[in-house]
Amino acid sequence: MEPYTIKNLPELLSFYLGNSKSIKKFEVSRLTAPGENFGSVMLKVDILLTNNKTGGEEMLYAVAKMLPESELFRKIFKVQETFLNEMAFYEIIVPTLHDFQRRVGVTNVLDCFSECLATRKNLLGGSCIIDDDAVLIFENLMADGFINIDRFEGFDLDTTQLILRDMALFHAVPLALRMKKPEVFRNYIEPYCSRFREGQDIMDPMIRASEAVLKENKAVASWAYKVNESFYKPRCASREPFVTLIHTDLWTNNTMQKFVDRKPVANKFIDFQGFYYGSPASDLLFFLWSSVPKEVLELHFDDLIKYYYDHFIKAVNDHSFIDSRLNFQNFMREIEIEFEYEFGHALVYCLTVVSSKAGSRNMNELGTPEDYLKRITLKEKENAWFIVRDSERRGWLKK
């Protein structure tokens, strides 16, 4: 597929640029290494713009998200569904949430998403088929100082709290919308929420590798079977009153942060290919276990849950909705229920996705359990063993 190109870029960006600016030239290059993003190809797009009135020039730094190069991963990630849904997220869902916030008097609307400049399904005209010309164009957050932290290190306490504040608001706004304007939620949110789950052919080797890691430690070996059972357990129907919009894949690679004097000051969530409506406890557990190191969780796990909840309930109330059922005791019950599904999800990702280095995967083949086991470090094993021991201590693990 190299050299990389984006067909008809001036036409694609015409609405965003309007009549005042035009594209003089642009350069496209790979943004991330092969193996960093399995569900898409991410391209860096540097665009030189001309002001049509003054003749002056300026740079527009953008990112393009395109289909995976491999047909295998196009099938695995169900691109005909996930790309359409992600386009709808930025074109329909985000404006719907912002409109709701403004109508209830909130002036500082959700700002934890990158700006989407343009989308295209194909060049066929009037068709909803996703093909090789499908693309989403975003602002390049790196040009504004945002970075992805090292997923092998995870987030420190301050950065974790920053992300949890945004996560709480992201969950609270659709929940308040659903309760106050159920018809709006049904018409503008729910139609684009389809449960994405990787196929068994790609996940089974990851699950077997994760089970093997647990069996290495006698203290947790008896729970190895629970990984497979949890990962494939059919989810029960979403429960009132906590049902809301959830990301389903919130981990280090799908968040970006800006730092000033080494302090985290802003956060963005990215990659909305698999969003769904469900329990906020699902996102919370997966994020904490997949992205926050054991050293932080050992000291602050309970505090971080309470920190998230306090910001969540405040945000719900700020959007003119109060429901006594949304109390902390019920939220902890929600966490215990979601644990049954997120335990396997988080362990598999911790051990086989977070640990996977860029370029370490053949993008045209599925990995084997042995492939994954060779890449898992002692630190990652210890993180997984901690999750099991801590969950057992809390009484969440049940035979």
Side-chain angles (χ1 to χ4, degrees):
M1 195 171 172
E2 294 190 36
Y4 297 102
T5 186
I6 302 170
K7 296 177 184 176
N8 296 4
L9 185 64
E11 179 184 344
L12 178 61
L13 287 173
S14 60
F15 181 80
Y16 173 76
L17 296 176
N19 297 321
S20 61
K21 297 175 184 178
S22 58
I23 295 177
K24 183 175 183 179
K25 64 179 182 179
F26 64 93
E27 182 177 337
V28 181
S29 58
R30 186 108 194 192
L31 179 71
T32 57
E36 282 288 349
N37 299 86
F38 297 122
S40 62
V41 168
M42 301 300 297
L43 303 177
K44 179 172 176 280
V45 189
D46 295 338
I47 306 168
L48 180 62
L49 299 177
T50 300
N51 187 303
N52 295 331
K53 293 183 179 179
T54 67
E57 296 179 345
E58 65 180 272
M59 289 299 299
L60 172 63
Y61 298 101
V63 169
K65 183 172 188 174
M66 303 186 74
L67 298 187
E69 295 169 313
S70 162
E71 286 297 329
L72 173 64
F73 283 92
R74 292 184 184 191
K75 179 180 178 182
I76 287 170
F77 285 92
K78 301 177 183 177
V79 295
Q80 294 298 328
E81 180 178 299
T82 56
F83 265 68
L84 286 173
N85 287 350
E86 185 163 23
M87 291 176 185
F89 180 83
Y90 291 99
E91 294 174 338
I92 298 172
I93 292 177
V94 172
T96 298
L97 297 177
H98 285 170
D99 180 67
F100 168 68
Q101 289 187 278
R102 294 186 181 102
R103 287 178 182 274
V104 297
V106 175
T107 54
N108 295 322
V109 298
L110 277 165
D111 189 31
C112 53
F113 315 121
S114 58
E115 182 182 2
C116 186
L117 310 182
T119 68
R120 181 175 67 204
K121 301 176 183 68
N122 52 62
L123 289 172
L124 303 175
S127 170
C128 286
I129 295 173
I130 297 294
D131 65 15
D132 284 333
D133 296 312
V135 60
L136 296 94
I137 305 289
F138 299 99
E139 62 176 328
N140 189 335
L141 291 170
M142 289 186 287
D144 194 31
F146 284 84
I147 62 170
N148 281 115
I149 67 100
D150 186 347
R151 68 176 185 265
F152 301 108
E153 296 298 323
F155 295 114
D156 62 17
L157 180 61
D158 287 345
T159 310
T160 299
Q161 290 176 330
L162 170 69
I163 295 167
L164 289 180
R165 291 197 296 272
D166 277 346
M167 187 190 303
L169 185 59
F170 166 60
H171 290 151
V173 176
L175 186 148
L177 169 65
R178 183 178 65 84
M179 292 296 200
K180 292 178 67 68
K181 301 286 184 181
E183 72 286 354
V184 174
F185 191 91
R186 283 195 302 270
N187 293 333
Y188 294 95
I189 308 291
E190 197 169 320
Y192 308 103
C193 296
S194 54
R195 187 74 189 178
F196 169 73
R197 202 62 184 261
E198 299 89 341
Q200 190 166 344
D201 50 353
I202 188 175
M203 296 313 305
D204 276 354
M206 297 183 180
I207 290 170
R208 287 167 57 193
S210 302
E211 291 173 333
V213 168
L214 296 195
K215 290 176 182 177
E216 290 180 20
N217 186 324
K218 291 182 180 179
V220 302
S222 64
W223 294 109
Y225 79 95
K226 198 74 174 178
V227 178
N228 182 80
E229 180 183 274
S230 170
F231 196 93
Y232 288 122
K233 184 174 183 176
R235 286 186 179 262
C236 60
S238 299
R239 299 163 300 279
E240 294 289 359
F242 287 99
V243 182
T244 189
L245 192 65
I246 60 175
H247 186 287
T248 76
D249 196 23
L250 277 179
W251 66 295
T252 48
N253 269 27
N254 288 336
T255 69
M256 299 182 72
Q257 291 75 42
K258 180 188 285 191
F259 294 83
V260 174
D261 296 329
R262 299 186 178 182
K263 298 287 187 182
V265 296
N267 166 74
K268 300 286 185 179
F269 297 134
I270 59 176
D271 195 6
F272 283 86
Q273 285 181 256
F275 66 91
Y276 193 60
Y277 59 93
S279 173
S282 173
D283 274 350
L284 177 61
L285 285 175
F286 182 72
F287 168 73
L288 290 176
W289 282 334
S290 67
S291 307
V292 183
K294 175 173 69 73
E295 294 74 21
V296 176
L297 295 182
E298 284 178 320
L299 296 175
H300 302 290
F301 188 79
D302 292 302
D303 296 335
L304 290 170
I305 290 176
K306 187 62 163 59
Y307 185 89
Y308 164 87
Y309 173 79
D310 288 344
H311 284 82
F312 167 78
I313 198 64
K314 180 182 183 302
V316 170
N317 294 342
D318 287 346
H319 287 78
S320 304
F321 182 73
I322 297 175
D323 189 331
S324 62
R325 297 175 299 168
L326 296 171
N327 59 64
F328 186 64
Q329 182 178 1
N330 284 344
F331 184 68
M332 289 306 297
R333 173 58 180 157
E334 192 74 10
I335 285 181
E336 189 171 350
I337 294 172
E338 286 301 308
F339 168 85
E340 289 293 319
Y341 312 102
E342 288 304 322
F343 174 73
H345 184 207
L347 276 179
V348 169
Y349 270 67
C350 286
L351 290 169
T352 63
V353 177
V354 177
S355 66
S356 182
K357 296 181 182 296
S360 64
R361 287 279 299 276
N362 183 334
M363 296 302 288
N364 292 302
E365 296 179 0
L366 297 177
T368 67
E370 293 72 26
D371 292 334
Y372 293 111
L373 283 168
K374 283 187 288 189
R375 293 194 292 267
I376 300 172
T377 67
L378 178 60
K379 178 181 178 180
E380 288 149 358
K381 291 178 181 180
E382 289 176 341
N383 285 342
W385 297 335
F386 164 76
I387 291 171
V388 179
R389 291 195 306 270
D390 192 55
S391 300
E392 185 176 25
R393 178 181 65 83
R394 295 171 185 277
W396 291 347
L397 274 171
K398 298 177 178 65
K399 295 290 186 181

